[in-house]
Amino acid sequence: MDLYLLIFTSEDYRAEQIYKCHQELFMALEKHFTLHLVPYTEVDHIPAGAYKMPFIADGCVADVVIRNFSIFPYPITILSDGQNNSLAAALEIAAWIRTKDMRATIIYGKVSDMVRQVLFHYQAFAAKHKLKGKRIGLIGTPAPWLVASHADYLLTNRRWGVNFIDIPAEEVYKLYYGITDEEVGVEASILANRAQACQDTTPEDLLREMRLYYATKQVCEKYQLDAVTLSSFSMYQDLKSTGCLAVALLNDEDIPAGSEGDLQAIMTLLMVKVLTGQQGFIANPSFIDVGKNEVLLAHDTIGTKMAERFILRSHFDTEKGIAVQGILHEGEVTVFKCGSECLDEYYVSPGYLTENTNIISLCRTQLLVKLGKPVEYFLRNPLGNHHILIQGNYCDIIQEFMQQNRCKLRD
């Protein structure tokens, strides 16, 4: 990993002298990066798209910086270790930038903390670049009950570089009818043997859902999709299959997949994959206990590899087909959603998964989470219905990523 530091110094630039003065920080950074010290006057020599950050080397450069702040990556993050009054200069610079209604952040503190912040910053920077050019397929149309979960294709592309691809459901249907039970039988049997149990389902249900999984996977390959969301409502009407199993197995194969045609949820799921490498669980907040600050997240599908064990069951709403009931370990989790029509707002909270419930009136996978932020958010100012649960605490890197991309936090 290359890190280009734009050096601002009031003295004649001498690389060896700069390095010696800030040696503790630079040596710590070199454990993670190939470090390049570049005087700000030579910014044009830095490769296009490279990871770079301004470094304030002493306290007499504020006037020089504000004359050249246009060369900084935006939103602006300034690195300062405090040597030679550099923190004082960084504070003055950041205050001036904010008077222009622009965001400026200073990375400063203990060397270990500074390195950690730079690594978060780089991880978010790299994730944004990985998102560019990604293709999300919408097979069919969004479910009619998702009235606040759409996305503006043009504005989303401009902000994130992601392309939404509309694909007629009929393409999947045609492939579905061309796949025989014999073609999917072995894999269906292996899946059934992996499951802890099969409840309220038939072998015919499993074969039908596996055929839909095969067909959807072929469409993903044809359109070179990086993520996909299915119109499960229309698929059940036309095929008597909900796609829950297809969604679970695609997620297992590192293709973020969701149901109901929810564009905001699938974009969030893709972000999770690119940023953390983890699977996510798209779920409905189904019960909220304000007193205990708990939310019960439920849905009919989850990646089988995300679960400690899983049960194949019937779909809750229709009592037909196949749904996946995942059982997860108790432990730290993150609840995250990128939403609004322009995908420029977000919610993120740490939490703790306390229980896998089995309430008869809810979708099959049910996870009770004690949130780290006030649960009233869901009642007062929610970003729609579906939210994504991730195993582990990823709040800091998500916060860094969303702030770098100038998104507004909802609480």
Side-chain angles (χ1 to χ4, degrees), residues 2 49-52 73 119-130 275 397 400-401 404-405:
D2 290 297
Y51 179 55
K52 57 183 180 289
L119 286 169
F120 273 149
H121 191 274
Y122 173 80
Q123 190 176 346
F125 166 86
K128 175 65 181 295
H129 282 260
K130 288 178 183 177
L275 187 59
I397 184 58
E400 177 66 41
F401 177 69
Q404 275 194 34
N405 289 286

PDB file of all heavy atoms in Angstrom, residues 2 49-52 73 119-130 275 397 400-401 404-405:
ATOM      1  N   ASP A   2       0.615   2.159  -0.896  1.00  0.00           N
ATOM      2  CA  ASP A   2       1.385   3.396  -0.998  1.00  0.00           C
ATOM      3  C   ASP A   2       0.644   4.528  -0.298  1.00  0.00           C
ATOM      4  O   ASP A   2      -0.565   4.692  -0.463  1.00  0.00           O
ATOM      5  CB  ASP A   2       1.605   3.775  -2.467  1.00  0.00           C
ATOM      6  CG  ASP A   2       2.562   2.822  -3.168  1.00  0.00           C
ATOM      7  OD1 ASP A   2       3.723   2.760  -2.758  1.00  0.00           O
ATOM      8  OD2 ASP A   2       2.138   2.155  -4.135  1.00  0.00           O
ATOM      9  N   GLY A  49      -5.097   8.971  -8.796  1.00  0.00           N
ATOM     10  CA  GLY A  49      -5.845   7.998  -8.008  1.00  0.00           C
ATOM     11  C   GLY A  49      -5.094   7.430  -6.830  1.00  0.00           C
ATOM     12  O   GLY A  49      -5.626   6.572  -6.113  1.00  0.00           O
ATOM     13  N   ALA A  50      -3.852   7.913  -6.598  1.00  0.00           N
ATOM     14  CA  ALA A  50      -3.059   7.392  -5.473  1.00  0.00           C
ATOM     15  C   ALA A  50      -3.622   7.915  -4.154  1.00  0.00           C
ATOM     16  O   ALA A  50      -4.305   8.942  -4.094  1.00  0.00           O
ATOM     17  CB  ALA A  50      -1.601   7.798  -5.615  1.00  0.00           C
ATOM     18  N   TYR A  51      -3.306   7.199  -3.087  1.00  0.00           N
ATOM     19  CA  TYR A  51      -3.751   7.585  -1.750  1.00  0.00           C
ATOM     20  C   TYR A  51      -2.800   8.629  -1.207  1.00  0.00           C
ATOM     21  O   TYR A  51      -1.607   8.373  -1.029  1.00  0.00           O
ATOM     22  CB  TYR A  51      -3.781   6.363  -0.841  1.00  0.00           C
ATOM     23  CG  TYR A  51      -4.214   6.655   0.576  1.00  0.00           C
ATOM     24  CD1 TYR A  51      -5.429   7.283   0.828  1.00  0.00           C
ATOM     25  CD2 TYR A  51      -3.405   6.322   1.649  1.00  0.00           C
ATOM     26  CE1 TYR A  51      -5.835   7.562   2.131  1.00  0.00           C
ATOM     27  CE2 TYR A  51      -3.803   6.583   2.947  1.00  0.00           C
ATOM     28  CZ  TYR A  51      -5.017   7.196   3.179  1.00  0.00           C
ATOM     29  OH  TYR A  51      -5.413   7.476   4.462  1.00  0.00           O
ATOM     30  N   LYS A  52      -3.328   9.834  -0.944  1.00  0.00           N
ATOM     31  CA  LYS A  52      -2.479  10.920  -0.484  1.00  0.00           C
ATOM     32  C   LYS A  52      -3.174  11.702   0.618  1.00  0.00           C
ATOM     33  O   LYS A  52      -4.399  11.687   0.756  1.00  0.00           O
ATOM     34  CB  LYS A  52      -2.105  11.857  -1.633  1.00  0.00           C
ATOM     35  CG  LYS A  52      -3.253  12.480  -2.389  1.00  0.00           C
ATOM     36  CD  LYS A  52      -2.725  13.316  -3.552  1.00  0.00           C
ATOM     37  CE  LYS A  52      -3.847  13.974  -4.357  1.00  0.00           C
ATOM     38  NZ  LYS A  52      -4.601  12.984  -5.154  1.00  0.00           N
ATOM     39  N   PRO A  73      -7.270  16.043  -1.285  1.00  0.00           N
ATOM     40  CA  PRO A  73      -8.437  15.178  -1.510  1.00  0.00           C
ATOM     41  C   PRO A  73      -9.571  15.634  -0.604  1.00  0.00           C
ATOM     42  O   PRO A  73      -9.340  16.048   0.534  1.00  0.00           O
ATOM     43  CB  PRO A  73      -7.935  13.781  -1.119  1.00  0.00           C
ATOM     44  CG  PRO A  73      -6.454  13.882  -1.056  1.00  0.00           C
ATOM     45  CD  PRO A  73      -6.130  15.308  -0.725  1.00  0.00           C
ATOM     46  N   LEU A 119      -5.114   4.075   8.947  1.00  0.00           N
ATOM     47  CA  LEU A 119      -5.518   2.799   8.351  1.00  0.00           C
ATOM     48  C   LEU A 119      -7.023   2.765   8.074  1.00  0.00           C
ATOM     49  O   LEU A 119      -7.460   2.281   7.028  1.00  0.00           O
ATOM     50  CB  LEU A 119      -5.120   1.645   9.274  1.00  0.00           C
ATOM     51  CG  LEU A 119      -3.624   1.313   9.301  1.00  0.00           C
ATOM     52  CD1 LEU A 119      -3.315   0.342  10.433  1.00  0.00           C
ATOM     53  CD2 LEU A 119      -3.180   0.725   7.967  1.00  0.00           C
ATOM     54  N   PHE A 120      -7.839   3.279   8.999  1.00  0.00           N
ATOM     55  CA  PHE A 120      -9.280   3.385   8.760  1.00  0.00           C
ATOM     56  C   PHE A 120      -9.553   4.276   7.551  1.00  0.00           C
ATOM     57  O   PHE A 120     -10.379   3.957   6.694  1.00  0.00           O
ATOM     58  CB  PHE A 120      -9.989   3.966   9.989  1.00  0.00           C
ATOM     59  CG  PHE A 120     -10.389   2.947  11.010  1.00  0.00           C
ATOM     60  CD1 PHE A 120     -10.420   3.274  12.354  1.00  0.00           C
ATOM     61  CD2 PHE A 120     -10.747   1.662  10.645  1.00  0.00           C
ATOM     62  CE1 PHE A 120     -10.789   2.345  13.311  1.00  0.00           C
ATOM     63  CE2 PHE A 120     -11.108   0.711  11.593  1.00  0.00           C
ATOM     64  CZ  PHE A 120     -11.135   1.063  12.925  1.00  0.00           C
ATOM     65  N   HIS A 121      -8.852   5.386   7.508  1.00  0.00           N
ATOM     66  CA  HIS A 121      -9.029   6.331   6.401  1.00  0.00           C
ATOM     67  C   HIS A 121      -8.683   5.663   5.075  1.00  0.00           C
ATOM     68  O   HIS A 121      -9.412   5.807   4.079  1.00  0.00           O
ATOM     69  CB  HIS A 121      -8.144   7.559   6.648  1.00  0.00           C
ATOM     70  CG  HIS A 121      -8.411   8.703   5.732  1.00  0.00           C
ATOM     71  ND1 HIS A 121      -7.824   8.823   4.498  1.00  0.00           N
ATOM     72  CD2 HIS A 121      -9.226   9.795   5.866  1.00  0.00           C
ATOM     73  CE1 HIS A 121      -8.235   9.936   3.921  1.00  0.00           C
ATOM     74  NE2 HIS A 121      -9.093  10.545   4.718  1.00  0.00           N
ATOM     75  N   TYR A 122      -7.572   4.915   5.058  1.00  0.00           N
ATOM     76  CA  TYR A 122      -7.177   4.226   3.833  1.00  0.00           C
ATOM     77  C   TYR A 122      -8.183   3.147   3.451  1.00  0.00           C
ATOM     78  O   TYR A 122      -8.525   2.995   2.267  1.00  0.00           O
ATOM     79  CB  TYR A 122      -5.794   3.599   3.993  1.00  0.00           C
ATOM     80  CG  TYR A 122      -5.421   2.739   2.800  1.00  0.00           C
ATOM     81  CD1 TYR A 122      -4.948   3.322   1.631  1.00  0.00           C
ATOM     82  CD2 TYR A 122      -5.597   1.356   2.831  1.00  0.00           C
ATOM     83  CE1 TYR A 122      -4.648   2.551   0.513  1.00  0.00           C
ATOM     84  CE2 TYR A 122      -5.305   0.584   1.730  1.00  0.00           C
ATOM     85  CZ  TYR A 122      -4.826   1.185   0.571  1.00  0.00           C
ATOM     86  OH  TYR A 122      -4.543   0.415  -0.534  1.00  0.00           O
ATOM     87  N   GLN A 123      -8.655   2.399   4.436  1.00  0.00           N
ATOM     88  CA  GLN A 123      -9.620   1.332   4.155  1.00  0.00           C
ATOM     89  C   GLN A 123     -10.880   1.899   3.521  1.00  0.00           C
ATOM     90  O   GLN A 123     -11.435   1.328   2.573  1.00  0.00           O
ATOM     91  CB  GLN A 123      -9.959   0.580   5.446  1.00  0.00           C
ATOM     92  CG  GLN A 123     -10.755  -0.700   5.243  1.00  0.00           C
ATOM     93  CD  GLN A 123     -10.971  -1.454   6.549  1.00  0.00           C
ATOM     94  OE1 GLN A 123     -10.319  -1.171   7.553  1.00  0.00           O
ATOM     95  NE2 GLN A 123     -11.892  -2.397   6.539  1.00  0.00           N
ATOM     96  N   ALA A 124     -11.335   3.038   4.026  1.00  0.00           N
ATOM     97  CA  ALA A 124     -12.511   3.687   3.454  1.00  0.00           C
ATOM     98  C   ALA A 124     -12.220   4.209   2.055  1.00  0.00           C
ATOM     99  O   ALA A 124     -13.042   4.088   1.139  1.00  0.00           O
ATOM    100  CB  ALA A 124     -12.965   4.825   4.364  1.00  0.00           C
ATOM    101  N   PHE A 125     -11.052   4.789   1.869  1.00  0.00           N
ATOM    102  CA  PHE A 125     -10.626   5.268   0.548  1.00  0.00           C
ATOM    103  C   PHE A 125     -10.592   4.119  -0.457  1.00  0.00           C
ATOM    104  O   PHE A 125     -11.110   4.234  -1.570  1.00  0.00           O
ATOM    105  CB  PHE A 125      -9.242   5.910   0.677  1.00  0.00           C
ATOM    106  CG  PHE A 125      -8.524   6.148  -0.623  1.00  0.00           C
ATOM    107  CD1 PHE A 125      -8.748   7.303  -1.347  1.00  0.00           C
ATOM    108  CD2 PHE A 125      -7.605   5.222  -1.116  1.00  0.00           C
ATOM    109  CE1 PHE A 125      -8.078   7.537  -2.548  1.00  0.00           C
ATOM    110  CE2 PHE A 125      -6.934   5.443  -2.301  1.00  0.00           C
ATOM    111  CZ  PHE A 125      -7.164   6.603  -3.033  1.00  0.00           C
ATOM    112  N   ALA A 126     -10.004   3.005  -0.058  1.00  0.00           N
ATOM    113  CA  ALA A 126      -9.895   1.858  -0.966  1.00  0.00           C
ATOM    114  C   ALA A 126     -11.261   1.278  -1.293  1.00  0.00           C
ATOM    115  O   ALA A 126     -11.526   0.860  -2.424  1.00  0.00           O
ATOM    116  CB  ALA A 126      -8.990   0.792  -0.339  1.00  0.00           C
ATOM    117  N   ALA A 127     -12.167   1.246  -0.301  1.00  0.00           N
ATOM    118  CA  ALA A 127     -13.506   0.707  -0.534  1.00  0.00           C
ATOM    119  C   ALA A 127     -14.267   1.547  -1.550  1.00  0.00           C
ATOM    120  O   ALA A 127     -14.989   1.008  -2.397  1.00  0.00           O
ATOM    121  CB  ALA A 127     -14.272   0.634   0.784  1.00  0.00           C
ATOM    122  N   LYS A 128     -14.136   2.860  -1.454  1.00  0.00           N
ATOM    123  CA  LYS A 128     -14.809   3.728  -2.431  1.00  0.00           C
ATOM    124  C   LYS A 128     -14.332   3.413  -3.849  1.00  0.00           C
ATOM    125  O   LYS A 128     -15.130   3.340  -4.789  1.00  0.00           O
ATOM    126  CB  LYS A 128     -14.542   5.195  -2.092  1.00  0.00           C
ATOM    127  CG  LYS A 128     -15.099   6.190  -3.106  1.00  0.00           C
ATOM    128  CD  LYS A 128     -16.620   6.162  -3.160  1.00  0.00           C
ATOM    129  CE  LYS A 128     -17.185   7.125  -4.194  1.00  0.00           C
ATOM    130  NZ  LYS A 128     -16.921   8.542  -3.875  1.00  0.00           N
ATOM    131  N   HIS A 129     -13.041   3.201  -4.006  1.00  0.00           N
ATOM    132  CA  HIS A 129     -12.512   2.876  -5.330  1.00  0.00           C
ATOM    133  C   HIS A 129     -12.981   1.496  -5.802  1.00  0.00           C
ATOM    134  O   HIS A 129     -13.221   1.289  -6.993  1.00  0.00           O
ATOM    135  CB  HIS A 129     -10.981   2.964  -5.321  1.00  0.00           C
ATOM    136  CG  HIS A 129     -10.464   4.361  -5.398  1.00  0.00           C
ATOM    137  ND1 HIS A 129     -10.012   4.937  -6.557  1.00  0.00           N
ATOM    138  CD2 HIS A 129     -10.374   5.336  -4.453  1.00  0.00           C
ATOM    139  CE1 HIS A 129      -9.649   6.189  -6.340  1.00  0.00           C
ATOM    140  NE2 HIS A 129      -9.860   6.446  -5.066  1.00  0.00           N
ATOM    141  N   LYS A 130     -13.120   0.561  -4.872  1.00  0.00           N
ATOM    142  CA  LYS A 130     -13.608  -0.769  -5.238  1.00  0.00           C
ATOM    143  C   LYS A 130     -15.071  -0.729  -5.678  1.00  0.00           C
ATOM    144  O   LYS A 130     -15.502  -1.532  -6.517  1.00  0.00           O
ATOM    145  CB  LYS A 130     -13.462  -1.730  -4.053  1.00  0.00           C
ATOM    146  CG  LYS A 130     -12.031  -2.132  -3.741  1.00  0.00           C
ATOM    147  CD  LYS A 130     -11.997  -3.055  -2.524  1.00  0.00           C
ATOM    148  CE  LYS A 130     -10.581  -3.412  -2.128  1.00  0.00           C
ATOM    149  NZ  LYS A 130     -10.555  -4.259  -0.902  1.00  0.00           N
ATOM    150  N   LEU A 275     -16.384  -3.109   2.090  1.00  0.00           N
ATOM    151  CA  LEU A 275     -15.694  -2.411   3.170  1.00  0.00           C
ATOM    152  C   LEU A 275     -15.125  -3.353   4.215  1.00  0.00           C
ATOM    153  O   LEU A 275     -14.014  -3.144   4.716  1.00  0.00           O
ATOM    154  CB  LEU A 275     -16.666  -1.426   3.829  1.00  0.00           C
ATOM    155  CG  LEU A 275     -16.123  -0.467   4.876  1.00  0.00           C
ATOM    156  CD1 LEU A 275     -15.030   0.418   4.290  1.00  0.00           C
ATOM    157  CD2 LEU A 275     -17.246   0.405   5.431  1.00  0.00           C
ATOM    158  N   ILE A 397     -15.133   1.976  11.153  1.00  0.00           N
ATOM    159  CA  ILE A 397     -14.769   2.011   9.736  1.00  0.00           C
ATOM    160  C   ILE A 397     -15.963   2.433   8.882  1.00  0.00           C
ATOM    161  O   ILE A 397     -15.809   3.145   7.887  1.00  0.00           O
ATOM    162  CB  ILE A 397     -14.191   0.650   9.264  1.00  0.00           C
ATOM    163  CG1 ILE A 397     -13.727   0.746   7.817  1.00  0.00           C
ATOM    164  CG2 ILE A 397     -15.193  -0.477   9.435  1.00  0.00           C
ATOM    165  CD1 ILE A 397     -12.690   1.811   7.550  1.00  0.00           C
ATOM    166  N   GLU A 400     -16.187   6.201   9.240  1.00  0.00           N
ATOM    167  CA  GLU A 400     -15.147   6.838   8.425  1.00  0.00           C
ATOM    168  C   GLU A 400     -15.523   6.816   6.948  1.00  0.00           C
ATOM    169  O   GLU A 400     -15.399   7.823   6.239  1.00  0.00           O
ATOM    170  CB  GLU A 400     -13.812   6.127   8.645  1.00  0.00           C
ATOM    171  CG  GLU A 400     -12.667   6.659   7.806  1.00  0.00           C
ATOM    172  CD  GLU A 400     -12.271   8.082   8.176  1.00  0.00           C
ATOM    173  OE1 GLU A 400     -12.236   8.406   9.381  1.00  0.00           O
ATOM    174  OE2 GLU A 400     -11.977   8.864   7.252  1.00  0.00           O
ATOM    175  N   PHE A 401     -15.993   5.689   6.480  1.00  0.00           N
ATOM    176  CA  PHE A 401     -16.354   5.522   5.075  1.00  0.00           C
ATOM    177  C   PHE A 401     -17.485   6.461   4.678  1.00  0.00           C
ATOM    178  O   PHE A 401     -17.406   7.160   3.653  1.00  0.00           O
ATOM    179  CB  PHE A 401     -16.761   4.063   4.842  1.00  0.00           C
ATOM    180  CG  PHE A 401     -17.224   3.767   3.449  1.00  0.00           C
ATOM    181  CD1 PHE A 401     -16.342   3.786   2.385  1.00  0.00           C
ATOM    182  CD2 PHE A 401     -18.547   3.430   3.202  1.00  0.00           C
ATOM    183  CE1 PHE A 401     -16.770   3.492   1.094  1.00  0.00           C
ATOM    184  CE2 PHE A 401     -18.983   3.140   1.927  1.00  0.00           C
ATOM    185  CZ  PHE A 401     -18.088   3.169   0.871  1.00  0.00           C
ATOM    186  N   GLN A 404     -16.341  10.152   4.775  1.00  0.00           N
ATOM    187  CA  GLN A 404     -15.505  10.480   3.620  1.00  0.00           C
ATOM    188  C   GLN A 404     -16.347  10.743   2.385  1.00  0.00           C
ATOM    189  O   GLN A 404     -15.972  11.543   1.519  1.00  0.00           O
ATOM    190  CB  GLN A 404     -14.515   9.344   3.333  1.00  0.00           C
ATOM    191  CG  GLN A 404     -13.244   9.396   4.121  1.00  0.00           C
ATOM    192  CD  GLN A 404     -12.183   8.463   3.556  1.00  0.00           C
ATOM    193  OE1 GLN A 404     -12.087   8.250   2.346  1.00  0.00           O
ATOM    194  NE2 GLN A 404     -11.367   7.897   4.437  1.00  0.00           N
ATOM    195  N   ASN A 405     -17.483  10.063   2.306  1.00  0.00           N
ATOM    196  CA  ASN A 405     -18.357  10.211   1.145  1.00  0.00           C
ATOM    197  C   ASN A 405     -19.498  11.208   1.387  1.00  0.00           C
ATOM    198  O   ASN A 405     -20.493  11.195   0.683  1.00  0.00           O
ATOM    199  CB  ASN A 405     -18.895   8.842   0.732  1.00  0.00           C
ATOM    200  CG  ASN A 405     -17.809   7.984   0.122  1.00  0.00           C
ATOM    201  OD1 ASN A 405     -17.399   8.209  -1.008  1.00  0.00           O
ATOM    202  ND2 ASN A 405     -17.306   7.020   0.880  1.00  0.00           N
TER     203      ASN A 405
END
